Amino acid sequence: FTPRGGTIRVRSSQDRQAVAIAVRDTGTGIPPDDLPHIFDRFHKSRDSRGTGLGLTIAKNLVVAHGGEILAESEIGKGTTIRFTLPT
């Protein structure tokens, strides 16, 4: 989530073994207590309007293809979701 006027950047790289994608936003960030749970089914922030399934689905797709996914976040500075998929 990034509020109006924010920025979302997508970066990619590739080597012989994997493709790496990073999606970074300038949103509000994820509280440290929530960060370990954001890929859990139905976990969502108090102000979320979603169902809490989006990142669970993303993780299942990435893992099903042999990849890894992780999140980094800082309150007030935004969040980065990174994933890799084997080539």
Side-chain angles (χ1 to χ4, degrees):
F1 170 79
T2 297
R4 188 174 304 220
T7 302
I8 297 174
R9 293 202 168 132
V10 179
R11 293 190 176 187
S12 65
S13 62
Q14 180 178 358
D15 61 25
R16 291 181 181 213
Q17 298 170 340
V19 172
I21 306 290
V23 181
R24 177 169 176 71
D25 69 34
T26 57
T28 58
I30 300 168
D33 291 345
D34 285 336
L35 198 55
H37 306 287
I38 65 168
F39 295 107
D40 296 347
R41 189 168 34 147
F42 302 122
H43 182 82
K44 59 185 197 167
S45 69
R46 284 183 221 110
D47 50 336
S48 173
R49 293 175 294 212
T51 61
L53 291 174
L55 288 174
T56 301
I57 292 168
K59 180 178 181 179
N60 287 330
L61 287 170
V62 168
V63 170
H65 287 88
E68 296 179 343
I69 189 168
L70 62 92
E72 302 166 342
S73 189
E74 189 173 344
I75 296 296
K77 294 195 176 181
T79 300
T80 302
I81 305 289
R82 300 177 196 278
F83 67 93
T84 57
L85 295 171
T87 54

